[in-house]
Amino acid sequence: MPRFSIIVPSHGVAGRLSQALDSVLGQSFGDLQLIPVCDAPDAAAAEVAAGYAGRDSRVTVVHSPPSAGLSGARNAGMRAAAGTYVLFLDGDDLLLPGSLAVVDARLSEVAGVDVLYCEHERAPWWEGEPATPAGPLPAKAPLGAFAPAELPGLTGVQLPAWSAVYRRAFLTERELVFPDGHFTDLGWGGLVTVAAGRIAVLRRAVVRHRSRRQGSRLNLPGPHQHTLLDQVERVLTRAAEAELPAERTGPLFDQAFALVLRTASRPERLPSGHRAFFRRAARLYRLHRPAGHRVPDGSLGVQHRLLAAGAYGAFRALRGAHRAAGGTVARLPRPHPARTRLRYARDLRRPLDPDLAVYCAYWGRGYACNPAAIHAKARELAPHLRGVFLVEAGQEHTMPDGVEYAVLGSRRSWEVLARAAYLVNNANFAEGVVKRPGSVHLQTQHGTPLKTMGVDQSVYPVVAARSGSFTKLLGRVDRWDFSLSSNRHSTRMWERAFPGSYEQLEYGYPRNDVYYTATARDVARIRRELGVPEGRTAVLYAPTHRDHHTGFEPGLDLEAFCRAAGDNVVVLLRAHYFYDRGGPRGSGRIIDVTAHRSAEDVCLAADALITDYSSIMFDYANLDRPIVIYADDWEVYRETRGVCFDLMAKPPGLVARTPGELAAVFRDGSYAGPRARALRAAFRERFCEFDDGRAAERVVRRVLLGEPPQALPPVLPLAERVPAPAAATLTRS
């Protein structure tokens, strides 16, 4: 029997679940059972949990449907628990280092307690110093174990379930389970308080609670607010049945009704039924008020008296007086100059154009990436829509014939941004763009993350210093309605890096459709346009940007590589788009394709890819052609930029650490050998999950045409997909 069973519900937190599980399995005290509770075997979190279970026998995965809620998940975990003691941990929180060892030592000191109440930390959800909440545990708790009557102010009503450790036999004997509905921590904590015979306190933080960016779901408006009264009634009824003395029911009553009054004083949480909530609360107040109860002093005491009297009108008037000064209107960022700002404000008052879609890629670099692929498919499937592409000044000549465009920052660009029903971008629109009710914003993303993204960058100083305001970034995220994903790894990382209320669309990347629709003739044409000599092996070299460098550094002597790799090799050099200066950089056997507008064309032309840590590897893997990782500075990159997974452990092909190793794998052909193929197959299984040639169709039909998900074409299994043929294949045939 393990000492501890730690139950971790995972609904809605797949992106951070691995961090929670690592915080448990990394404890110095290892006598534990870890129980991740997942929605279903095919849920995103289940994939994460299954990986841990496969590596560590202490992990027991159980399932609970989302309809059962948090209480159902925790109860399912308790049914699987085998430990002497039970702890709970939310799937996006952390068990602090060394916590279990300290808890074990304290439990040995206070042997046999039913509940050990612990301190916890609350941390801002993405940056800032964690803090211990003021007074979560009374200051004068006895040093050893004690009966609840000795400290009646210590109840579980105001403590989260994960701020305590529970003896499992006690829970079983008293048949304690989490009550259904919302505010389940209140119900659980109160029921545990009533039932416990011996308790103790640990004055050390055990859990770091990472506040969700959107705040607690319990603070959102809706009919679920009425279930707060269900939990209060359940706890106070149980206390009455247990015939607890007034000395104990008094604090229980006061703490429960402090929560009730907090909700009653916020009518916006109850858009309908606020009067009914107040009247039911008043009945419960009068029914369960302990004998000799004394109301608090001050304003809170006035609220108690009004609630006891059922004086709804007076209560509303009191709250209205307190909130009268709070009528500030949030300022919206707006464009410059003043004349454009005024016109934009006017256009925002005009009706949305239901047939207008605005597209932008890479901050206006041109017609490219997922937005371009969606625009092209929309012209085919939704010809009634008018599509306008935004492009930066000086790049107008790059727009294809027949594509309507507007220059970024121009009067016309702000006009279409104000009126468009659909806005599609692979980066983000400017600060001044207002998210209008009824408009649909689609964030297409522009790669699969290996490096940290979004708010995950905040802990890497070099990156954070260049990233600008994370607060402003998240203001832009709040405009998203949909975010595209090409694999489940990306889904989890977007959830973590860009927390928001958008819907994830696991449809694949539209820009990658061409890897399954291009023909042999297309490949030959692109190679001719790029100047690849017939019969040569074209190797695409695409290094990524490094935040600790001030400019483009190729990292490899390409002429020397060509000489060492063999006479048949030419290199297509594609620097990161940050370094696109619009002119050639190579000569001889080096063909500079950095300025070429289509990364997809360049990939189709290449027989093999060399990259370091660029996300191009994930897209190129769709072609099922050789990939070699040149990782001469992996350790530096990992420490300065941060990464989502260990590329060296599961690369898409062979890994070379030096120029000599890189040239050798091409010279002897091992870059395309059996081991390289096996690595690539595993990589494609993980990262080419949803790219099948029909991603753009799924996006257009769902987002622009409003079709239901079940009507969309399903993703074709990887084994049934046929990538575009490589030129080397054409030569041999």
Side-chain angles (χ1 to χ4, degrees):
M1 177 187 297
R3 179 71 160 167
F4 299 110
S5 289
I6 299 104
I7 297 167
V8 187
S10 65
H11 179 69
V13 293
R16 288 192 168 190
L17 180 60
S18 60
Q19 296 174 330
L21 302 185
D22 285 341
S23 75
V24 175
L25 296 176
Q27 293 286 314
S28 57
F29 186 94
D31 185 13
L32 60 90
Q33 175 193 26
L34 175 57
I35 308 175
V37 186
C38 306
D39 293 346
D42 60 346
E47 180 183 354
V48 176
Y52 281 85
R55 298 190 296 270
D56 196 319
S57 61
R58 296 175 296 173
V59 179
T60 303
V61 182
V62 300
H63 299 101
S64 176
S67 59
L70 177 61
S71 59
R74 286 172 169 169
N75 289 334
M78 283 200 290
R79 289 192 293 271
T84 305
Y85 293 93
V86 173
L87 293 82
F88 298 96
L89 183 70
D90 283 355
D92 51 357
D93 291 343
L94 302 174
L95 198 62
L96 290 168
S99 292
L100 285 188
V102 175
V103 169
D104 175 66
R106 180 61 172 153
L107 287 171
S108 297
E109 294 172 357
V110 293
V113 294
D114 297 326
V115 186
L116 175 66
Y117 290 106
C118 309
E119 301 276 5
H120 62 272
E121 292 180 351
R122 288 189 182 273
W125 64 270
W126 61 276
E127 70 177 357
E129 291 299 318
T132 302
L137 300 179
K140 297 182 179 179
L143 295 178
F146 56 94
E150 296 178 50
L151 192 64
L154 177 54
T155 78
V157 166
Q158 295 180 319
L159 291 172
W162 36 259
S163 198
V165 182
Y166 310 89
R167 186 167 59 88
R168 187 168 63 88
F170 157 69
L171 301 179
T172 303
E173 292 162 4
R174 296 305 185 100
E175 299 181 344
L176 289 169
V177 295
F178 283 85
D180 292 337
H182 294 81
F183 301 95
T184 189
D185 277 12
L186 185 161
W188 167 263
L191 296 177
V192 166
T193 295
V194 172
R198 299 287 288 173
I199 60 177
V201 166
L202 172 60
R203 294 200 175 283
R204 159 154 176 171
V206 171
V207 169
R208 175 171 295 164
H209 172 65
R210 299 193 286 184
S211 303
R212 293 185 176 92
R213 180 178 173 235
Q214 292 78 17
S216 171
R217 300 183 184 98
L218 299 180
N219 293 333
L220 296 176
H224 67 277
Q225 295 290 343
H226 290 271
T227 64
L228 170 63
L229 299 179
D230 296 339
Q231 302 291 6
V232 169
E233 182 174 19
R234 179 177 286 114
V235 170
L236 295 180
T237 299
R238 183 69 62 87
E241 293 170 350
E243 298 181 348
L244 294 187
E247 293 77 13
R248 287 195 60 192
T249 55
L252 203 60
F253 178 89
D254 282 341
Q255 292 174 21
F257 273 95
L259 299 174
V260 170
L261 288 167
R262 189 180 303 166
T263 297
S265 64
R266 291 173 170 82
E268 67 275 9
R269 292 188 184 177
L270 291 155
S272 62
H274 185 259
R275 183 186 295 270
F277 179 93
F278 185 89
R279 287 180 172 171
R280 184 185 171 197
R283 289 194 298 271
L284 289 175
Y285 189 99
R286 292 190 293 268
L287 177 64
H288 291 285
R289 180 167 49 188
H293 178 257
R294 184 175 176 181
V295 300
D297 296 328
S299 175
L300 182 58
V302 175
Q303 294 179 51
H304 270 257
R305 291 184 176 91
L306 293 175
L307 184 62
Y312 178 71
F315 186 88
R316 285 294 300 268
L318 175 68
R319 297 308 304 162
H322 286 169
R323 298 163 70 91
T328 7
V329 178
R331 291 176 54 200
L332 293 172
R334 290 174 288 182
H336 298 280
R339 181 176 296 178
T340 303
R341 182 164 67 241
L342 291 172
R343 287 176 173 171
Y344 181 59
R346 183 194 66 190
D347 288 335
L348 287 171
R349 293 192 293 270
R350 298 170 64 190
L352 287 173
D353 184 341
D355 294 331
L356 176 59
V358 172
Y359 301 84
C360 190
Y362 298 116
W363 304 276
R365 290 184 64 244
Y367 192 76
C369 195
N370 292 318
I374 294 168
H375 173 272
K377 184 59 69 171
R379 297 175 82 177
E380 173 190 334
L381 299 180
H384 64 284
L385 293 180
R386 173 191 169 207
V388 178
F389 229 93
L390 300 184
V391 61
E392 63 184 355
Q395 296 298 320
E396 299 93 328
H397 66 283
T398 66
M399 299 302 294
D401 293 340
V403 174
E404 184 179 353
Y405 65 86
V407 175
L408 276 169
S410 68
R411 163 75 189 94
R412 186 159 169 269
S413 73
W414 284 105
E415 179 186 5
V416 294
L417 283 168
R419 300 288 313 282
Y422 305 99
L423 291 97
V424 181
N425 206 325
N426 73 348
N428 265 306
F429 289 102
E431 288 295 320
V433 174
V434 175
K435 174 69 165 75
R436 295 186 63 180
S439 67
V440 176
H441 286 232
L442 168 64
Q443 167 58 257
T444 73
Q445 310 293 353
H446 54 270
T448 290
L450 165 61
K451 59 192 175 189
T452 56
M453 303 291 289
V455 298
D456 280 351
Q457 299 172 359
S458 63
V459 295
Y460 295 92
V462 173
V463 188
R466 298 188 176 194
S467 298
S469 166
F470 289 107
T471 301
K472 289 182 178 180
L473 166 67
L474 292 164
R476 298 189 289 268
V477 169
D478 284 339
R479 298 188 301 223
W480 303 356
D481 293 293
F482 300 102
S483 173
L484 276 187
S485 172
S486 58
N487 47 65
R488 294 188 186 185
H489 162 78
S490 294
T491 302
R492 293 193 294 268
M493 293 305 103
W494 300 148
E495 174 191 314
R496 197 168 85 192
F498 305 114
S501 57
Y502 54 85
E503 180 181 348
Q504 301 258 24
L505 300 181
E506 293 182 322
Y507 291 172
Y509 282 157
R511 71 182 186 188
N512 291 344
D513 286 353
V514 69
Y515 296 142
Y516 297 98
T517 60
T519 65
R521 184 171 297 179
D522 294 325
V523 173
R525 172 184 55 79
I526 295 167
R527 285 171 68 94
R528 286 195 302 272
E529 292 173 356
L530 294 178
V532 178
E534 189 174 350
R536 295 291 187 93
T537 298
V539 177
L540 172 60
Y541 177 54
T544 193
H545 165 68
R546 282 158 172 74
D547 298 272
H548 55 287
H549 289 176
T550 56
F552 176 65
E553 300 178 22
L556 185 66
D557 185 334
L558 296 178
E559 294 286 0
F561 167 76
C562 287
R563 290 193 299 271
D567 296 338
N568 198 44
V569 171
V570 296
V571 170
L572 303 175
L573 168 62
R574 189 168 181 83
H576 192 278
Y577 59 81
F578 285 0
Y579 309 113
D580 176 8
R581 296 197 296 266
R585 193 181 276 105
S587 61
R589 293 165 66 182
I590 314 301
I591 304 171
D592 189 345
V593 294
T594 301
H596 191 81
R597 287 294 156 180
S598 172
E600 294 73 48
D601 279 1
V602 172
C603 288
L604 284 167
D607 299 299
L609 168 69
I610 299 173
T611 187
D612 40 23
Y613 325 117
S614 169
S615 67
I616 199 171
M617 72 179 81
F618 302 98
D619 305 309
Y620 191 82
N622 282 284
L623 290 167
D624 199 16
R625 301 178 190 176
I627 302 173
V628 178
I629 299 298
Y630 180 53
D632 63 328
D633 63 346
W634 168 250
E635 288 74 18
V636 173
Y637 185 85
R638 181 178 59 192
E639 292 302 317
T640 56
R641 187 58 170 85
V643 295
C644 303
F645 67 95
D646 187 356
L647 180 65
M648 299 301 104
K650 294 184 177 180
L654 301 186
V655 176
R657 293 282 194 160
T658 67
E661 291 177 3
L662 183 63
V665 301
F666 279 89
R667 192 167 54 246
D668 64 19
S670 59
Y671 77 100
R675 181 164 175 267
R677 286 197 297 272
L679 290 169
R680 186 168 72 250
F683 191 85
R684 294 182 75 234
E685 188 75 30
R686 182 179 181 187
F687 294 111
C688 299
E689 192 171 2
F690 306 129
D691 289 330
D692 66 349
R694 302 188 71 179
E697 178 184 353
R698 284 188 282 269
V699 171
V700 170
R701 288 173 57 178
R702 173 71 191 285
V703 177
L704 302 184
L705 295 177
E707 296 184 16
Q710 59 270 23
L712 306 182
V715 175
L716 191 68
L718 187 63
E720 299 177 23
R721 303 175 204 168
V722 180
T729 305
L730 300 177
T731 303
R732 287 195 298 272
S733 62

